[in-house]
Amino acid sequence: MLARRFTIVCLLMSLFGMFFAILVAEAGRSPRSWDEATRLCHLACPTNLRH
């Protein structure tokens, strides 16, 4: 019984840890270069080259 509770708690804590790591990694990430390129292309590219 104690081992089962310990396993459940460990699994829940590992899920929380992975979720928190994803949040921290996303917050510290710089914007992707292709996002900036597409925004500039929509503003400055000729209309016949856009898809």
Side-chain angles (χ1 to χ4, degrees):
M1 185 71 175
L2 184 63
R4 188 180 304 157
R5 278 193 196 153
F6 181 72
T7 304
I8 292 170
V9 167
C10 286
L11 287 173
L12 288 174
M13 291 300 289
S14 63
L15 284 175
F16 175 74
M18 286 190 291
F19 177 70
F20 189 69
I22 290 170
L23 284 178
V24 169
E26 287 291 323
R29 233 170 109 175
S30 62
R32 297 177 298 217
S33 60
W34 58 82
D35 285 344
E36 294 173 9
T38 55
R39 185 177 53 213
L40 289 174
C41 189
H42 284 298
L43 295 175
C45 289
T47 57
N48 60 352
L49 294 178
R50 282 193 231 158
H51 296 268

